[in-house]
Amino acid sequence: MSSPKGSRAQKTRLPVFTRKGPLEVPSPTEKDWSKDDEEDYVFKDPDEELDSLPQPYRMINKLVNLLFDRSWEVIEERDTLRKSELSWIQPTIYPPLVESKLNNMPNCMAVSQDYVFIGGAKGFSIYNLYNAKQVYVWEKLKVDVTSIWATDLGSEILIAPVDEMGIIRLFYLYKDGLFLIKAINEVDDTSKQTTCIKMEISQGGDFAAFLLQGAGDIWLDVYKLPKESWLKEVEHPQLTINPKKKVRQLQLNTLDPVTSDNSEMDINICFRGDVKLSLPVHIMKIKPPKPVTGTTFKSPLEVFAKLEDCWGLGSGQSHFIRERQWEQQAAIFTASYKKYLDGEWNEGPLSMATFHFLLPSCITAMPADVKSPSGVACVLGVHWTGSHNFFLYSLNRTLKDKVDPEGVWPCAAPIAVSQLGCSSSFLVLACEDGVLTLWDLAGGFPLGVVALPEGCFCQSVHFLRYFLVHEGRNVYPEGPVKSQMKCVVLCTDASLHLVAAQGTQGPTSSVLVERPAKHLDEAICAVAPVPALPGMVLIFSRNGCVHLMDVAKPHIICAFAPPRSYRLVVPWTPVFVVSSHHPCFLLRGDHPDEIESTEDDKNIQNSVFYFNFEAYPLLENISRNCTVPQPDFTDNVVFSQGLPLEKRCASFLQKRQSSRSVAPPCSWGCLWVKARCGSFDGKMRSAFTFSLQ
């Protein structure tokens, strides 16, 4: 896009010599002259000289050249990637074992016991986990179900679906009956309708907490669930008729149970709208902590007088900082960062809460007169967005009691993510500065603090059941393990890390997957541990790939994919569920024609694919032989330190007995005493040897 200077027809020009590089003054002496001086000159034909283009053609020329250069870089990069992929060992891709076709798109899934609960249009449906047959359908809503939870209560299941309006309902599934307990936040006046954002049910189903939002406010409602009364009421039902709700109950009773064509199905679930169950008891309403403002106290003694038995100490609400001091601090901050604060400040979003039900332990502060049964949650741990504090609230209270935290755990930075272990024995608090604090709730002490690499910030934490590498394979030790935990941390930059802690030893962090630098479609968007396979997690990528990774190596074991006619339309938010008690997981597959179809088109088939780990050659042996007795790990120093003291002493005595003859161990198994008698200078003497491990 440039033109030659001049023309032979107009003027004949002589060739010229042009010196390369900058001009400089030559040396006065001939001996200093360069011998290769002739090489510094280049011959140029004046007819080939180019004029610089005028604007805007010069800019267009640069843009076109830049476009060609970048295109060529992309071509070379793809060619290099294609050559490297040919040299890679591609993992084995396993297809689904069963495909369950649905008429409506499933929005969410949950698994409990032998059932799969799928939320979709106007309600939810129940499927058998083993044969993927539909057992029952409850569709009496005007909107879709967006999320669903299912909690195992023993022989019963508590189901909690949330619809698009944010209304959450509690259902009780017992044997062949489905019972509606209550719509927690449903009101007659739609202008006063609240929205359920998040919920949590305690281990065992004794308590439930719901994060509600409405009228520009947000709060946390905590309920006590009368599950013992529910069991009695469904075993000995008493029909109740409420005139105000007669129309609704009759409408629900018109639902017909869906029977399966499979003759092996013996259970046909039916809805029991004529049985009224006891309602959950509202025990507490928790609001976000108030912003810290200037004090109204006149002396430090008034500050301590406000605290009752030191409950709530550390929350920052009771202090002796004057309003004038806050104003001075704000003025200094504004003056220092004035150039960054010129824009208008917009009001931030409402503070969100993350909450967990904690079991009784010596680390949770509880009043002395409160005694909670073993295995039943006694404390609710809560932290709010942007807050440094992790608040502890006792669950032994009524709605009339004053809502004050019984304990506060302050952190050095705002808490971004928190996660409770599956057995409620461990807790991880991840702060916004990338520092993780690991707590052993059962042991009553912190396992340590670990910092993620620079630039990595926690997005989610996923606990793994503690495993060990025994004879080259991952196995679970039989029986309980003390003060040892492992978890995987997914960071905001799509990198994946393994965090491990062992007793008094400091926690360690290792990188499993690096942050994708060039190929952003390979970024990890979701992670799910697989309890049936020791030390393995499912990794979902933005390109729709699903891989199974062994975190001990680490490397990819295999991959899972739906049939080619299906794909993940929204791969960065996959709809899946992993069973905690069965070696399987379910994945929603979307048909390509569904994107171009309208909402009224009912001919489009949506499918849920069932993957069974025991059906694949590479995984069947891992799933079936994943537990090893603890005596096989006696030589493992790390594992032996996590065993209870009695088992450590018993293991030590067995080793000593195998090496030489010793006296039988003591009954309490913590101290081994060997007494031997001898004579020394005619006197009897006893020598005792103590050995404690």
Side-chain angles (χ1 to χ4, degrees), residues 80-113:
T80 305
L81 179 62
R82 184 170 59 254
K83 292 180 180 179
S84 60
E85 288 179 350
L86 294 176
S87 61
W88 290 349
I89 300 177
Q90 297 293 337
T92 304
I93 301 177
Y94 289 118
L97 190 65
V98 178
E99 177 183 359
S100 180
K101 294 186 177 181
L102 309 176
N103 294 327
N104 300 318
M105 176 184 294
N107 299 323
C108 51
M109 293 185 291
V111 173
S112 182
Q113 296 184 9

Side-chain angles (χ1 to χ4, degrees), residues 73-203:
E73 291 177 359
V74 172
I75 293 173
E76 290 181 340
E77 181 180 350
R78 291 182 178 179
D79 184 65
T80 305
L81 179 62
R82 184 170 59 254
K83 292 180 180 179
S84 60
E85 288 179 350
L86 294 176
S87 61
W88 290 349
I89 300 177
Q90 297 293 337
T92 304
I93 301 177
Y94 289 118
L97 190 65
V98 178
E99 177 183 359
S100 180
K101 294 186 177 181
L102 309 176
N103 294 327
N104 300 318
M105 176 184 294
N107 299 323
C108 51
M109 293 185 291
V111 173
S112 182
Q113 296 184 9
D114 299 335
Y115 297 102
V116 181
F117 304 91
I118 300 178
K122 299 182 180 181
F124 65 93
S125 55
I126 305 175
Y127 288 81
N128 185 283
L129 181 61
Y130 297 103
N131 53 22
K133 296 297 182 180
Q134 192 178 79
V135 179
Y136 185 77
V137 177
W138 189 87
E139 294 181 346
K140 292 305 297 181
L141 301 177
K142 297 181 180 180
V143 292
D144 296 351
V145 171
T146 56
S147 58
I148 190 170
W149 288 267
T151 303
D152 188 1
L153 303 182
S155 59
E156 321 90 58
I157 301 176
L158 184 63
I159 311 165
V162 180
D163 60 23
E164 290 180 332
M165 300 297 294
I167 300 176
I168 183 167
R169 296 171 175 84
L170 294 182
F171 290 85
Y172 188 76
L173 178 61
Y174 177 73
K175 293 183 179 179
D176 59 347
L178 181 65
F179 306 86
L180 175 62
I181 300 174
K182 181 184 179 181
I184 297 297
N185 58 332
E186 186 178 18
V187 293
D188 296 332
D189 189 358
T190 56
S191 62
K192 299 180 180 180
Q193 181 64 56
T194 59
T195 302
C196 180
I197 303 175
K198 191 185 299 184
M199 73 158 292
E200 190 75 27
I201 300 177
S202 65
Q203 183 178 352

Side-chain angles (χ1 to χ4, degrees), residues 585-657:
F585 80 98
L586 290 88
L587 177 66
R588 187 189 78 180
D590 302 297
H591 200 280
D593 297 338
E594 178 187 348
I595 305 176
E596 301 176 358
S597 64
T598 60
E599 296 181 357
D600 298 334
D601 191 358
K602 299 182 180 180
N603 297 324
I604 300 301
Q605 292 289 333
N606 301 275
S607 298
V608 173
F609 298 99
Y610 174 84
F611 297 85
N612 192 336
F613 299 116
E614 293 182 348
Y616 306 120
L618 289 177
L619 306 176
E620 57 181 350
N621 294 330
I622 300 176
S623 176
R624 294 172 182 173
N625 304 316
C626 62
T627 304
V628 176
Q630 290 186 357
D632 295 346
F633 298 102
T634 54
D635 296 334
N636 192 314
V637 179
V638 175
F639 176 74
S640 61
Q641 293 178 354
L643 292 175
L645 184 59
E646 292 79 3
K647 294 187 177 181
R648 292 170 59 187
C649 294
S651 175
F652 173 78
L653 293 174
Q654 290 178 1
K655 290 183 179 180
R656 296 297 295 264
Q657 287 177 352

